[in-house]
Amino acid sequence: MTNINVGELCWNVVDQGVGQPLLLIHGFPLDHTMWQFQIEDLSRDFRIIAPDLRGFGSSDLSDAPMSMADFADDLERLLTELGIDSPVNICGLSMGGYIAWEFWHRHPQRLSRLILCDTRAAADNTETQNTRRATAERVLRDGTDFLAKMMIPKLFDQETLAQNSALVEATRQVLLGTSPVAIAAALNGMAEREDATDWLPDIRIPALLLCGVSDSITPAEEMQRIAEQMSDSQYVTIPQAGHMAPLENPQVCNRALRDFLGA
Ligand code: MLT
């Protein structure tokens, strides 16, 4: 891990391997460890950049609101701090995908290929926005326990829950240890995010969309429809995986990533 100063905040970042840069953006409310199997395998062929987003993992917390656009701008500054000025491959899971859409929208010249895992393009409806805002208030009041109870069963496929308790427990610990302030800010940021659906036909760079077959948070059929609206996209379903496909079935995910990136 490396500590990198981005503006006034110190970020915890994995910067491992040589080759084309591949920036991995974690989901909510996790950290870079959700990419552990991609970092280990793909850093043999790529320069993997896997940060803890502002306020998550061991990166500094700011008390400012955090929109998906703010996260995207943070990542653009991080690439500059790392001396990377050529276009990069970006891979985001779920909230990381929302940030990746914004990255494309705000910094298209910085992006060569886009990988979206277990995410959606549509914005929240009013009901989901209200639930997120209520959850943000509750986490600030009560801490992270209730959120872990609520989210962990939804993150994984039934088989992962039953047979990979070490992985599930490690994810629970990351969630429990995340700052309630960061969680609340990200929830409010997700509630207010832009709808990326209208952007899809304009995304002309190559894109790969992956989704766990039993993802109950961002369903596979919805990701397939996103892929159909993009001009140069591939869509791959990941068996034996729910919302955390890269963590649950790294062999199949890494093969798809390697095929797409030409390694
Ligand atoms: C995530 O995994 O990042 C979240 O489930 C995204 C969301 O709540 O929409």
Side-chain angles (χ1 to χ4, degrees):
M1 300 296 310
T2 318
N3 287 325
I4 308 276
N5 288 322
V6 182
E8 69 286 7
L9 301 179
C10 180
W11 281 44
N12 190 44
V13 181
V14 171
D15 180 2
Q16 189 172 315
V18 286
Q20 291 174 51
L22 172 59
L23 172 64
L24 303 174
I25 315 174
H26 63 76
F28 167 88
L30 304 174
D31 66 10
H32 75 279
T33 56
M34 61 145 288
W35 300 113
Q36 56 191 277
F37 302 119
Q38 285 68 47
I39 295 168
E40 183 187 307
D41 176 13
L42 299 174
S43 63
R44 290 188 278 129
D45 295 292
F46 297 93
R47 179 175 176 186
I48 302 291
I49 316 286
D52 290 342
L53 293 168
R54 191 192 328 180
F56 291 85
S58 305
S59 288
D60 278 353
L61 178 67
S62 76
D63 49 13
M66 294 186 215
S67 67
M68 299 301 106
D70 292 332
F71 282 129
D73 290 352
D74 274 354
L75 292 171
E76 199 272 335
R77 281 194 292 270
L78 172 66
L79 293 176
T80 302
E81 288 299 330
L82 291 171
I84 299 172
D85 47 24
S86 53
V88 300
N89 304 297
I90 288 196
C91 173
L93 181 132
S94 202
M95 182 180 80
Y98 310 155
I99 297 168
W101 298 128
E102 275 293 349
F103 194 97
W104 171 83
H105 190 57
R106 300 169 74 80
H107 308 288
Q109 75 289 354
R110 294 290 240 148
L111 191 53
S112 61
R113 280 174 292 195
L114 194 51
I115 303 161
L116 286 321
C117 307
D118 301 87
T119 193
R120 54 167 44 100
D124 288 351
N125 60 28
T126 307
E127 188 187 342
T128 307
Q129 286 179 321
N130 290 340
T131 306
R132 288 207 202 269
R133 289 178 184 130
T135 308
E137 280 175 25
R138 184 165 172 202
V139 84
L140 289 172
R141 195 181 58 233
D142 297 345
T144 52
D145 282 23
F146 82 94
L147 192 65
K149 286 198 186 81
M150 200 166 84
M151 278 194 77
I152 292 291
K154 293 192 199 153
L155 288 180
F156 297 102
D157 177 71
Q158 287 308 318
E159 204 175 306
T160 312
L161 287 169
Q163 293 178 8
N164 204 339
S165 52
L167 198 71
V168 174
E169 189 47 32
T171 306
R172 188 196 320 278
Q173 290 308 323
V174 172
L175 198 164
L176 287 171
T178 302
S179 148
V181 172
I183 291 178
L187 281 165
N188 289 322
M190 286 193 282
E192 279 150 35
R193 75 184 187 278
E194 288 230 30
D195 194 322
T197 311
D198 288 346
W199 303 346
L200 300 177
D202 294 328
I203 302 180
R204 302 216 168 78
I205 53 172
L208 172 67
L209 288 90
L210 304 178
C211 194
V213 70
S214 59
D215 188 336
S216 61
I217 298 180
T218 50
E221 308 74 54
E222 190 169 334
M223 283 210 78
Q224 182 163 17
R225 284 199 298 277
I226 296 173
E228 285 163 5
Q229 294 172 70
M230 299 171 78
S231 61
D232 187 2
S233 66
Q234 298 170 37
Y235 167 70
V236 178
T237 311
I238 308 298
Q240 292 154 346
H243 190 60
M244 300 303 298
L247 195 53
E248 298 182 79
N249 195 340
Q251 290 81 3
V252 175
C253 282
N254 292 358
R255 202 177 317 126
L257 288 166
R258 282 179 175 284
D259 287 350
F260 175 70
L261 294 169

